Amino acid sequence: MSTQHQVNQQQYQDKSQAYLTSTVHAQGIEFQKMQQLIQSHQIKTVLDLGCGGGHVSYQVAPFVDHVTAYDLTPSMVELVAEQAKQKGLVNIAAQQGVAELLPFADQSFDCIISRYSAHHWQNVAQAMAEMYRVVAQQGKVIIVDILGNSNPVMDTFFQTIETIRDPSHVRNYSLREWAGFAEYAGFTVETVEKQHLDLEFQSWTERMQTPEYAVQTIRDLQRKTSDQTRQYYQIQTDGSFRSEVAYLVLTRP
């Protein structure tokens, strides 16, 4: 029997290079927001939780004393360590592990950043409790992730195509769900912003090496969905679409 963690590792073990070079992951207006927050709060230590190709780590390292790049997939961790060395970012340390059980002492970090990772986590509530434990008092947590939808029809459509494309997908959560996770863990929700992410269909599927039959299933679902759903996600004739993204800042009181 495979655990969700094993499914995730299997999906991503040979995709580190694709995520390093992915334009979607390498760019984003959220990086400037992160840098501004780090500078305004004089943050010194950062945990990049679910670091993937390491883009958050590379963006924030010049502004802090130390970054821990942490990911479930060993090949991602190896890639970030190698890239940090090549970029001369000597203050980045890479470490492998799961989000739900962080191997760090209480209040180890001034700030935790998780970008496009949480929708793969096995247990977000448990991971949030761990984040609360390892972030300092008055410390910040920044979450950037694809949003689920409060409309059941649209949400089912989106979660379905995500899972067909990538079997390690667990769930995109709505803003209401995120607020619930944060408040239950003890955080104060400081900032809630929405962004948009345009996803070019071919690169979106190629990045995950989605099999052709699965690609065709997604395209079939896109063609058969309602006009309302098609318009909301701005589905194009080639399958490209737009999704909503949450940018959240939480504070540990």
Side-chain angles (χ1 to χ4, degrees), residues 53-84:
H55 298 292
V56 166
S57 294
Y58 313 142
Q59 290 281 346
V60 304
F63 301 93
V64 300
D65 291 346
H66 192 265
V67 179
T68 300
Y70 183 84
D71 200 274
L72 175 67
T73 307
S75 61
M76 293 289 191
V77 173
E78 291 163 12
L79 174 84
V80 176
E82 178 187 313
Q83 286 293 311

Side-chain angles (χ1 to χ4, degrees), residues 205-219:
T205 51
E206 285 180 351
R207 190 162 57 247
M208 283 311 302
Q209 300 172 21
T210 307
E212 182 59 27
Y213 73 87
V215 170
Q216 292 308 317
T217 301
I218 294 169
R219 294 294 287 119

Side-chain angles (χ1 to χ4, degrees), residues 21-196:
T21 57
S22 164
T23 303
V24 165
H25 292 81
Q27 300 175 4
I29 59 173
E30 62 272 15
F31 289 132
Q32 187 176 1
K33 296 178 186 179
M34 292 171 187
Q35 291 165 353
Q36 288 173 345
L37 183 144
I38 283 168
Q39 290 175 292
S40 64
H41 289 87
Q42 299 182 319
I43 285 165
K44 302 299 183 187
T45 54
V46 173
L47 173 62
D48 180 4
L49 181 54
C51 63
H55 298 292
V56 166
S57 294
Y58 313 142
Q59 290 281 346
V60 304
F63 301 93
V64 300
D65 291 346
H66 192 265
V67 179
T68 300
Y70 183 84
D71 200 274
L72 175 67
T73 307
S75 61
M76 293 289 191
V77 173
E78 291 163 12
L79 174 84
V80 176
E82 178 187 313
Q83 286 293 311
K85 190 175 180 180
Q86 288 183 17
K87 295 173 186 292
L89 298 170
V90 296
N91 60 335
I92 296 176
Q95 188 168 339
Q96 190 268 338
V98 302
E100 295 86 356
L101 190 62
L102 300 176
F104 308 111
D106 295 358
Q107 302 191 38
S108 296
F109 301 96
D110 298 328
C111 180
I112 299 172
I113 303 175
S114 182
R115 177 176 180 262
Y116 297 138
S117 174
H119 57 273
H120 294 290
W121 296 350
Q122 189 167 303
N123 188 324
V124 170
Q126 186 177 332
M128 291 289 274
E130 278 290 88
M131 284 190 271
Y132 187 89
R133 180 182 65 79
V134 304
V135 76
Q137 277 194 302
Q138 300 306 313
K140 305 295 182 185
V141 171
I142 302 172
I143 304 279
V144 180
D145 207 11
I146 306 280
L147 273 175
N149 199 295
S150 56
N151 179 311
V153 173
M154 292 186 188
D155 194 58
T156 299
F157 166 79
F158 194 33
Q159 306 288 355
T160 301
I161 66 169
E162 285 266 49
T163 306
I164 294 170
R165 171 204 175 234
D166 173 10
S168 72
H169 174 77
V170 176
R171 181 166 182 78
N172 298 317
Y173 299 96
S174 67
L175 282 177
R176 182 179 294 178
E177 288 173 307
W178 272 117
F181 288 136
E183 290 167 2
Y184 185 78
F187 289 107
T188 300
V189 180
E190 183 180 304
T191 303
V192 178
E193 294 176 4
K194 280 187 181 181
Q195 302 174 178
H196 288 97

